[in-house]
């Protein structure tokens, strides 16, 4: 029997009047039940109602937790996503389930028209996808999934098949998305960065003429409170950007030399930091397959230096986004600017500065908040409930917990881990939470919240080990 099924199936037994009340299921079992309930047979949806398809970086985080229950399912999760890769190397941010009605989610497959609008870019013909991407957590996830059961991974040829797809994915980002010409990857839509509604996007989005409200129907409001979701104005701008990109055939053009892709291109610190972390992972995968790939290590170190040079702002005490169209840093403190803490080559003084900022008045960790909020507590746009404009999310806090531990901040990492586990259990694995009260926001039974809870439960914090040290030091 599958291990997840063993965990989530209630044992049969006689009901006796004087039996004591049954113990509530453990946090581990409850998390496993969420992943079992969201499993579709080949992948895991973030949530059955609000997000009924496969999302790119969700699947990577879910695989990281799922490996503790079923390494085979974790491998299948990533394989299903990578099977929808485009010929130009991009991994789409949504892989659509054809059995889900079109009106269950917007933008739906008939909006993206991937097989026709994306034909020149090599979109697959047998599966419908979106045309944009999400942060490249996949090589990191693939390596950690391999470590969960190396024998199974080798027997199935998991890394042998995944490596060329992951390498092509990174090549696409590094060569087709260096829109500023300085080595960093740009996103061309807020949905690509994953933190969709962050105030960091307000300035570049202000140049976007929104699509008319009558031209689309939002399905997200059927499942979430309007005050927790992006405004209609912002959503109209998202739709306009996606429409324009689709109508260009999903072509990526440089900003420089008088050529402009449009009005939105941003270098984001978290997106680039995750690419660097996955470059380290690709090096580990190459060595596992018997090859040496020294350019990847050198590239990871070079990209780290470029990230520091272009996006670190000493006055803010953290990394900021850069508007590629204007060349200017965007003066908003989002959690994205703390995520580079997960990089092993980050200079020690910069790592200390990020920790100081994380625990200071702008993010309040260990003081006013138990989990790191998604946006500056003191920022004018802060909202403790609205999507990515203040609430705390489990995936970003998991990344920061890893980064704290990696840079020797064991006490703070332990406290953050404890806060995440308590919050996950108390909120039913909420999508995101109020950073002050830990009140659940969005949907509950959320995929990566459950999966990353499992990863924390299986971690060995007393030894200071985690997935990032497994990449930088090996699996000894």
């Amino acid at each position: 029997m599958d291990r997840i099924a063993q965990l989530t199936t209630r044992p049969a037994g006689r009901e006796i009047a004087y039996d004591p009340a049954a113990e509530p299921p453990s946090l581990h079992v409850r998390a496993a039940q969420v992943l079992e309930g969201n499993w579709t047979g080949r992948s895991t949806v973030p949530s059955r109602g609000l997000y009924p398809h496969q999302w790119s970086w969700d699947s990577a985080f879910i695989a990281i937790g799922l490996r503790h229950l079923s390494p085979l399912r974790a491998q299948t999760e990533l394989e299903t996503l990578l099977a929808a890769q485009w010929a130009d190397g991009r991994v789409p941010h949504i892989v659509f389930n054809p059995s889900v009605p079109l009106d269950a989610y917007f933008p739906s497959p008939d909006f993206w028209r991937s097989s026709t609008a994306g034909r020149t870019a090599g979109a697959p013909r047998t599966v419908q996808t979106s045309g944009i991407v999400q942060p490249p957590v996949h090589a990191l996830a693939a390596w950690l999934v391999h470590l969960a059961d190396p024998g199974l991974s080798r027997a199935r040829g998991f890394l042998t098949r995944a490596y060329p797809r992951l390498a092509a994915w990174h090549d696409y980002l590094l060569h087709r998305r260096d829109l500023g010409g300085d080595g960093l990857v740009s996103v061309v839509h807020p949905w690509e960065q994953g933190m969709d509604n962050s105030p960091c996007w307000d300035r570049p989005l202000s140049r976007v003429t929104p699509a008319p409200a009558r031209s689309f129907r939002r399905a997200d409001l059927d499942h979430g409170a309007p005050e927790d979701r992006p405004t209609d104005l912002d959503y109209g701008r998202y739709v306009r950007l996606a429409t324009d990109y689709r109508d260009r055939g999903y072509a990526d053009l440089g900003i420089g030399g008088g050529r402009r892709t449009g009005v939105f291109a941003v270098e984001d610190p978290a997106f680039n930091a995750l690419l660097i972390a996955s470059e380290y992972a690709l090096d580990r995968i190459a060595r596992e397959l018997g090859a040496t790939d020294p350019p990847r290590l050198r590239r990871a170190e070079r990209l780290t230096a470029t990230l520091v040079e272009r996006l670190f702002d000493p006055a803010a005490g953290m990394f900021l986004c850069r508007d590629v169209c204007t060349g200017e840093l965007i003066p908003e403190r989002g959690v994205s600017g703390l995520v580079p803490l997960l990089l092993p080559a980050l200079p020690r003084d910069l790592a200390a500065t990020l920790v100081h900022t994380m625990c200071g008045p702008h993010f309040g960790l260990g003081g006013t908040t138990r989990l790191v909020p998604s946006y500056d507590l003191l920022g004018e746009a802060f909202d403790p409930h609205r999507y990515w404009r203040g609430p705390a999310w489990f995936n970003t806090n998991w990344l920061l917990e890893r980064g704290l531990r990696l840079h020797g901040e064991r006490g703070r990492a332990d406290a953050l881990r404890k806060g995440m586990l308590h919050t996950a259990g108390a909120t039913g694995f909420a999508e995101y939470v109020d950073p002050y009260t830990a009140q659940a926001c969005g949907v509950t039974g959320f995929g990566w919240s459950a999966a990353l809870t499992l990863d924390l439960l299986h971690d060995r914090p007393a030894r200071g080990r985690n997935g990032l040290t497994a990449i930088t030091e090996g699996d000894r």
Side-chain angles (χ1 to χ4, degrees), residues 113-303:
R113 306 171 198 163
S114 60
S115 59
T116 53
R119 185 182 296 117
T120 302
R125 296 188 178 185
T126 58
V127 62
Q128 294 296 311
T129 76
S130 65
I132 59 175
V133 302
Q134 277 191 322
V137 198
H138 312 90
L140 170 60
W143 178 243
L144 296 180
V145 167
H146 164 78
L147 292 181
D149 192 336
L152 175 67
S153 174
R154 291 166 186 146
R156 296 187 69 247
F158 170 62
L159 292 182
T160 301
R161 289 178 284 109
Y163 180 79
R165 289 185 176 273
L166 293 168
W169 167 220
H170 285 209
D171 288 345
Y172 165 78
L173 292 172
L174 291 163
H175 299 302
R176 302 290 293 275
R177 285 299 192 88
D178 180 10
L179 302 183
D182 292 296
L184 296 184
V185 174
S186 294
V187 296
V188 298
H189 196 292
W191 289 338
E192 291 198 312
Q193 194 270 353
M195 303 177 194
D196 310 4
N197 198 36
S198 170
C200 297
W201 316 134
D202 288 356
R203 183 172 293 192
L205 275 177
S206 68
R207 299 189 294 263
V208 178
T209 302
R214 65 182 180 276
S215 66
F216 61 91
R217 177 191 174 277
R218 295 178 59 176
D220 62 318
L221 298 181
D222 295 339
H223 304 278
E227 59 270 21
D228 289 355
R229 307 295 299 172
T231 65
D232 286 342
L233 176 62
D234 284 334
Y235 218 90
R237 287 170 168 151
Y238 304 154
V239 172
R240 172 71 68 186
L241 279 175
T243 300
D244 291 349
Y245 191 45
R246 178 199 67 198
D247 292 347
R248 292 201 310 270
Y250 300 110
D252 298 305
L253 302 174
I255 294 292
R259 297 179 299 160
R260 296 177 68 90
T261 65
V263 293
F264 190 97
V266 175
E267 293 172 350
D268 172 74
F271 195 104
N272 281 278
L274 290 169
L275 175 62
I276 295 168
S278 281
E279 280 287 290
Y280 283 109
L282 273 185
D283 172 74
R284 294 292 298 147
I285 293 171
R287 283 192 273 164
E288 164 66 23
L289 297 176
T292 57
D293 203 353
R296 294 213 178 270
L297 287 180
R298 289 197 294 268
R299 183 155 60 190
E301 293 168 357
R302 184 178 70 250
L303 285 171

Side-chain angles (χ1 to χ4, degrees), residues 396-469:
T396 52
N397 276 271
W398 180 86
L399 292 168
L400 294 176
E401 193 270 354
R402 308 288 88 172
L404 286 168
R405 206 171 295 285
L406 182 69
H407 287 283
E409 295 283 348
R410 187 174 298 178
R412 288 189 170 99
D414 288 346
L416 181 53
R417 175 182 181 272
K418 182 178 179 180
M420 291 177 68
L421 292 176
H422 173 80
T423 303
T427 63
F429 308 99
E431 183 180 3
Y432 48 99
V433 300
D434 182 311
Y436 291 124
T437 67
Q439 175 187 340
C441 301
V443 299
T444 55
F446 196 69
W448 73 33
S449 300
L452 297 177
T453 294
L454 284 171
D455 193 61
L456 292 174
L457 289 171
H458 283 263
D459 193 16
R460 293 170 287 172
R463 293 178 54 188
R465 295 265 305 157
N466 59 49
L468 296 176
T469 52

